[in-house]
Amino acid sequence: MYPPPAYFTTRKERTSLNEMELNIGKGVDFISIAEPKFKTNTIEMIFMMPAGKAHNSAYSLLQALLSSTSKAYPSINAMSRKLSSMYGASLKGGSGKHGDMMQITLSTCVIDNRYALNQEDLLAEATELLLGCLFAPNTENDAFSETDFRIEKQDLLDAIEAEINDKRSYALTRATATAFDGEPYAYPTDGTKEDVEQLTPQSVYAVYRQLLEQAVVRIYHVGPAHAPQIGERLREAFAGIARNPVPLTFRSPSPCKDEIQHITEEMPVSQSKLVMVLKGDAPKKYAMNLMNVMFGSSPFSMLFMNVREKLSLCYYCSSRMAAVKKSLFVSSGVELENAQKTCDAILEQLEAIRKGEFTDDMLEDARRSLLNGLHGAGDTPMSCIVWSHHKYCDEQHDDIPAINEAYQKLTRQDVIDAANALRVDTIYLMQQEVTNEQNH
């Protein structure tokens, strides 16, 4: 067990997690979260950069390159053998959007040292492995390995093709492009096939260097005890980088268009896809979350119980929030002849909430659902990281008891006000191809 050094500042007053934070460089923070029940150590590095057409595809390819090989382990087989020797440790990369910024992640998880058969310092070993991937990747002459690049580039092209073939996901992508046109959020996380085709080992290396120098970085450790020695090792590693972090916008509400955008695309699909994007901000904090659970994000929601089950208008119908964009998505799979009826029915359910036409039982079920999810923070290492990082990105300073209390205090009128704040911005329909028989 390592006692926290004096320069750590406890964050207990902000979260119920046993969390400590240390600044280890310009725009680089190390967050240690201790939970004695965990039997593993997890380290996750999160690099944050502005999203957009210029680099999204390069970021997606970069995270795969960094998490598959390194200079010390220059092949996938060599890296796999190394991870196996560490009792099956994991090494993963990832990329995704958070509002108008991209997040590129690199993480590892290994069993705690006390379970090592020969008293190996697995945490130190995992830290060095991760640092090797980040600071000594498999590169030569300012370019990534041609072999690695070719493999990961094809994998990324295949992933983009798979999303296009997943029409439910593709419909959301197309609706997003329309609803947030002109905003970084509009652009796909992985970019487009055309973007990927233009990447080279040299161009991705240039983006890699830019990431090291300009990204805002949050590095999380979650384990059975605080590990300040990781923070010190990270401080040493980043000391050699000339850091100039870019300013980031964490909350970027999107203005609602003056007129609803109606987009219809005909595609060879057996089932039409309807996506509606609504925008607005609830007057009371957390009220939109509660309203959304009642509206369409739960198995007992009005969209599921009424539009899908009672009216049988669609195959599925649900809603989800993009909180940092102050937006709500409704997604549904329908037969073409039911598309307009489904759209009307969805808006009727929203109008019902606006009028307060819902039972107290539904309100309390939604409240309990949110509270149950809230109490799950800290159950797993990743839930600890997600909670802490969400708190940072959304500039949320409430601890779990405070949020619990806020949800308990939300009233029927608060939910009504949240529903009334929403306005339809975009209606997108991926339409089944109309045959001659259907025309007649």
Side-chain angles (χ1 to χ4, degrees), residues 387-401:
W387 167 259
S388 183
H389 193 63
H390 172 81
K391 182 160 56 78
Y392 169 78
C393 291
D394 291 350
E395 300 169 331
Q396 175 197 131
H397 305 308
D398 294 341
D399 61 13
I400 291 175

Side-chain angles (χ1 to χ4, degrees), residues 14-16 285-287 289-290 364 366-377 387 396-411 414:
R14 290 178 57 182
T15 173
S16 59
K285 193 174 184 181
Y286 305 119
N289 295 347
L290 185 57
E364 294 310 314
R367 198 192 312 271
R368 279 191 292 270
S369 177
L370 284 169
L371 293 177
N372 287 338
L374 182 65
H375 294 153
W387 167 259
Q396 175 197 131
H397 305 308
D398 294 341
D399 61 13
I400 291 175
I403 299 174
N404 190 322
E405 183 179 359
Y407 278 131
Q408 296 285 11
K409 289 182 176 179
L410 288 174
T411 66
D414 293 329

Side-chain angles (χ1 to χ4, degrees), residues 276 278 291 294-296 302-303 306-307 328 330 342-358 412-413 415-424:
M276 303 173 68
L278 301 90
M291 192 285 301
M294 294 173 53
F295 180 52
M302 296 171 75
L303 294 185
N306 295 328
V307 180
L328 185 144
V330 178
T342 302
C343 185
D344 294 341
I346 290 168
L347 294 177
E348 286 171 5
Q349 299 308 305
L350 181 63
E351 187 61 28
I353 298 180
R354 287 171 173 167
K355 294 178 178 178
E357 296 173 356
F358 52 87
R412 168 181 287 269
Q413 188 59 49
V415 171
I416 293 170
D417 292 343
N420 276 297
L422 289 171
R423 294 291 179 270
V424 180

Side-chain angles (χ1 to χ4, degrees), residues 37-325:
K37 69 183 177 184
F38 293 147
K39 296 177 173 60
T40 60
N41 283 284
T42 300
I43 305 172
E44 177 156 293
M45 300 178 169
I46 304 178
F47 298 81
M48 293 169 279
M49 290 285 281
K53 179 176 174 58
H55 293 319
N56 278 17
S57 57
Y59 292 143
S60 293
L61 187 53
L62 178 59
Q63 59 83 16
L65 288 166
L66 294 178
S67 61
S68 59
T69 63
S70 68
K71 189 75 74 177
Y73 305 98
S75 70
I76 294 175
N77 285 338
M79 183 63 78
S80 295
R81 287 194 297 270
K82 174 59 178 175
L83 293 169
S84 295
S85 74
M86 296 169 63
Y87 302 87
S90 66
L91 178 65
K92 298 178 182 178
S95 62
K97 283 185 299 187
H98 183 92
D100 287 346
M101 72 177 182
M102 278 285 288
Q103 296 188 149
I104 302 90
T105 62
L106 188 61
S107 64
T108 185
C109 181
V110 66
I111 63 170
D112 190 48
N113 292 349
R114 58 191 153 156
Y115 301 110
L117 296 177
N118 299 305
Q119 289 75 54
E120 303 100 313
D121 190 346
L122 294 172
L123 179 54
E125 201 171 342
T127 302
E128 293 305 319
L129 181 66
L130 202 60
L131 290 175
C133 291
L134 179 62
F135 291 105
N138 192 18
T139 62
E140 188 174 356
N141 299 323
D142 294 341
F144 279 95
S145 157
E146 188 71 46
T147 300
D148 291 353
F149 180 84
R150 186 175 62 253
I151 292 171
E152 299 302 343
K153 178 179 178 179
Q154 188 57 55
D155 284 350
L156 182 55
L157 288 169
D158 291 345
I160 292 173
E161 187 64 35
E163 183 180 16
I164 294 173
N165 292 330
D166 180 352
K167 299 308 181 187
R168 181 173 181 173
S169 176
Y170 187 63
L172 283 166
T173 298
R174 297 292 297 131
T176 298
T178 299
F180 304 95
D181 184 37
E183 303 173 42
Y185 190 74
Y187 204 69
T189 298
D190 291 334
T192 65
K193 290 192 292 184
E194 292 74 21
D195 296 328
V196 177
E197 291 289 5
Q198 293 176 9
L199 297 175
T200 66
Q202 293 77 15
S203 69
V204 176
Y205 181 84
V207 170
Y208 157 71
R209 291 302 310 179
Q210 187 180 47
L211 190 77
L212 285 182
E213 295 166 6
Q214 299 183 10
V216 174
V217 187
R218 303 278 288 179
I219 304 173
Y220 296 88
H221 164 256
V222 182
H226 289 302
Q229 74 277 16
I230 299 178
E232 287 305 321
R233 181 65 186 93
L234 290 167
R235 186 198 294 276
E236 295 172 6
F238 276 93
I241 303 295
R243 296 274 303 153
N244 186 26
V246 296
L248 293 176
T249 301
F250 293 107
R251 302 181 70 83
S252 49
S254 181
C256 191
K257 296 177 180 61
D258 294 334
E259 295 183 2
I260 298 174
Q261 297 292 299
H262 293 269
I263 306 295
T264 300
E265 292 184 333
E266 190 172 284
M267 296 189 73
V269 292
S270 59
Q271 180 189 114
S272 293
K273 309 296 181 185
L274 174 67
V275 179
M276 303 173 68
V277 183
L278 301 90
K279 298 178 180 178
D281 191 13
K284 186 70 72 72
K285 193 174 184 181
Y286 305 119
M288 192 67 78
N289 295 347
L290 185 57
M291 192 285 301
N292 183 46
V293 174
M294 294 173 53
F295 180 52
S297 71
S298 65
F300 56 83
S301 69
M302 296 171 75
L303 294 185
F304 182 85
M305 297 301 294
N306 295 328
V307 180
R308 184 187 185 278
E309 296 294 293
K310 184 177 179 180
L311 299 176
S312 299
L313 286 173
C314 53
Y315 298 98
Y316 62 87
C317 191
S318 62
S319 65
R320 68 172 180 83
M321 287 179 57
V324 295
K325 301 300 293 182

